Amino acid sequence: MRRQAIYPGSFDPITNGHCDIIQRALMIFDEVYIGVIENPDKKTLFSIEERIQMVQALFKDSARVHVEGFEGLLVDFAKIKNIYTMIRGLRAVSDFDYECQMSHINRHLCPQLDTVFLMTDAKYSYLSSSLVKQVARYRGNISQFVPASVESVLKDRYYE
Ligand code: PNS
């Protein structure tokens, strides 16, 4: 049986911190399904299509990584995929509260669902998509924070 997991998120845009979690998840799981959420409550810089495209481009050579968009509850996406293991990255204690709540409510909605937390590498512990966007907007250097292809898309969006 193949060990599969879903790594859900907004990925607006994907950062080196996310990529690090995906690479490490691939050491534990045979296949990782990256679930890019279309969240009507959250205003994103990039459309769902753009966010999926950025992630797909990064993992195009990795047959063990699949990228899909989803809308609605994570548990419903899990049921559609028939995959009941979620991966979430933890950067610091401050992430824990929210992640703990989400993990509990997801298990309440779907008892077979479990969340596996991976600690983000220390060098990415302060990184977030929101901060990357702020730095990019004011033309700061983001080359250490995101893959080159994502840096180029961010520059196109903010600098044109
Ligand atoms: O990258 P993010 O924004 O931290 O990802 C958050 C995400 C997509 C994992 C979370 O918002 C989510 O699971 N949304 C789907 C709605 C849902 O199922 N929420 C949990 C139960 S209320």
Side-chain angles (χ1 to χ4, degrees):
M1 203 177 87
R2 291 182 73 72
R3 288 166 304 172
Q4 299 176 315
I6 292 174
Y7 180 39
S10 306
F11 304 104
D12 185 45
I14 186 165
T15 67
N16 287 342
H18 294 126
C19 293
D20 171 57
I21 294 289
I22 295 162
Q23 295 301 350
R24 286 170 33 217
L26 286 169
M27 293 188 220
I28 305 170
F29 298 97
D30 298 311
E31 285 178 283
V32 174
Y33 283 77
I34 304 177
V36 181
I37 192 168
E38 169 79 299
N39 187 349
D41 297 334
K42 201 164 172 179
K43 188 169 164 23
T44 54
L45 175 65
F46 296 106
S47 68
I48 178 118
E49 293 80 14
E50 289 169 322
R51 288 179 280 135
I52 290 174
Q53 211 169 31
M54 277 187 267
V55 183
Q56 265 169 347
L58 290 172
F59 294 96
K60 63 180 188 317
D61 297 326
S62 180
R64 296 199 290 130
V65 176
H66 312 274
V67 188
E68 291 184 24
F70 77 100
E71 218 181 321
L73 290 178
L74 187 51
V75 291
D76 291 332
F77 183 59
K79 285 174 191 164
I80 291 167
K81 300 309 301 174
N82 198 26
I83 300 173
Y84 294 97
T85 308
M86 298 296 132
I87 299 163
R88 291 290 286 169
L90 287 178
R91 289 166 298 191
V93 178
S94 49
D95 281 340
F96 183 76
D97 257 3
Y98 173 67
E99 294 298 337
C100 188
Q101 270 184 314
M102 207 161 68
S103 169
H104 282 308
I105 199 149
N106 281 333
R107 270 177 69 79
H108 174 83
L109 295 170
C110 177
Q112 65 188 118
L113 193 143
D114 244 313
T115 310
V116 171
F117 295 105
L118 294 179
M119 284 306 300
T120 302
D121 191 287
K123 66 177 179 285
Y124 302 126
S125 60
Y126 57 90
L127 203 56
S128 70
S129 299
S130 318
L131 287 182
V132 167
K133 284 181 281 191
Q134 274 185 39
V135 177
R137 182 181 307 132
Y138 298 107
R139 302 187 179 221
N141 184 354
I142 52 164
S143 61
Q144 304 295 304
F145 303 152
V146 290
S149 56
V150 175
E151 182 182 3
S152 153
V153 175
L154 271 165
K155 283 181 172 170
D156 284 350
R157 179 58 50 98
Y158 282 127
Y159 294 9
E160 62 187 21

